[in-house]
Amino acid sequence: MFGYDDFMKFMQAFFVVFPVVTLIHLLGHIIFAAIFGGKGIRVVIGSGKLLFSLKFLEVRRFYFWYGGCQYTSLKYNNKLTKSLIFLGGSIFNAASIFLVNYLIRIEIFEASMLWYQFVYFSFYYMFFALLPMDMADGTLSDGKAMYKLWRNKNKDDSSADCQLVNHGNK
């Protein structure tokens, strides 16, 4: 049966863990963009009305739903750098999984439902980011964006959650 404890685990998973996993994924994209000279970097967590912003980070009312990042240009702009930007989110998710497991193994973190949820959602995010598919709104998963990039068919060098925005247009 679904009881009070399960409800609290659900709340923790969707209102704390999943937004953190989303932020880690987006930071992976943006850190790689920054390494390759990205300008105009912006990260948005959630959708709806703006709650607050800090430098390049915006947090919106429904912070637990959706996330995206943008940059306006790259100093080092080629297929390899763009591929690493598309893969950056999943690289950061994978690194966070290994870090959490290592910290549990050396007993800095205690094995708990929180870390189980974190690893679960990180794998979930990586799987759907890397699966080469078209999203319902016509945008591309990171995997599909990278596939099309290498086939010279990704016209705007963007994926569903990581967009290259030309000339400041949104």
Side-chain angles (χ1 to χ4, degrees):
M1 299 298 290
F2 193 81
Y4 177 75
D5 286 343
D6 297 313
F7 178 74
M8 295 310 294
K9 290 174 189 168
F10 168 82
M11 298 297 282
Q12 173 182 284
F14 286 99
F15 296 110
V16 178
V17 176
F18 193 65
V20 169
V21 169
T22 301
L23 180 60
I24 289 168
H25 184 86
L26 297 174
L27 288 175
H29 289 306
I30 288 306
I31 288 174
F32 275 96
I35 288 169
F36 300 124
K39 302 291 182 211
I41 291 174
R42 185 171 151 240
V43 174
V44 177
I45 298 295
S47 61
K49 186 178 172 183
L50 179 68
L51 289 177
F52 65 90
S53 63
L54 302 166
K55 296 191 179 195
F56 67 90
L57 175 67
E58 291 182 8
V59 178
R60 300 197 169 262
R61 174 184 262 166
F62 302 107
Y63 69 91
F64 50 87
W65 181 256
Y66 180 73
C69 57
Q70 299 175 336
Y71 57 97
T72 56
S73 64
L74 291 173
K75 182 176 181 181
Y76 304 101
N77 190 356
N78 58 57
K79 287 182 181 181
L80 178 61
T81 59
K82 291 176 195 173
S83 294
L84 288 170
I85 292 168
F86 288 138
L87 290 173
S90 293
I91 290 169
F92 269 51
N93 287 134
S96 70
I97 290 168
F98 285 114
L99 178 62
V100 163
N101 279 303
Y102 176 71
L103 293 173
I104 290 170
R105 187 168 159 249
I106 64 171
E107 299 179 353
I108 290 176
F109 287 173
E110 185 177 321
S112 68
M113 180 56 71
L114 173 74
W115 299 120
Y116 173 84
Q117 291 171 339
F118 180 84
V119 170
Y120 174 86
F121 279 116
S122 295
F123 272 116
Y124 170 91
Y125 219 107
M126 287 171 39
F127 178 81
F128 286 106
L130 295 175
L131 187 66
M133 64 181 181
D134 297 306
M135 303 298 188
D137 64 358
T139 58
L140 309 173
S141 69
D142 296 335
K144 181 84 177 252
M146 195 169 73
Y147 170 78
K148 289 184 86 168
L149 170 71
W150 284 92
R151 305 265 314 186
N152 296 318
K153 294 181 179 182
N154 191 344
K155 295 178 175 88
D156 62 1
D157 292 332
S158 295
S159 69
D161 65 349
C162 184
Q163 286 102 30
L164 170 62
V165 180
N166 293 315
H167 310 297
N169 298 333
K170 295 180 184 175

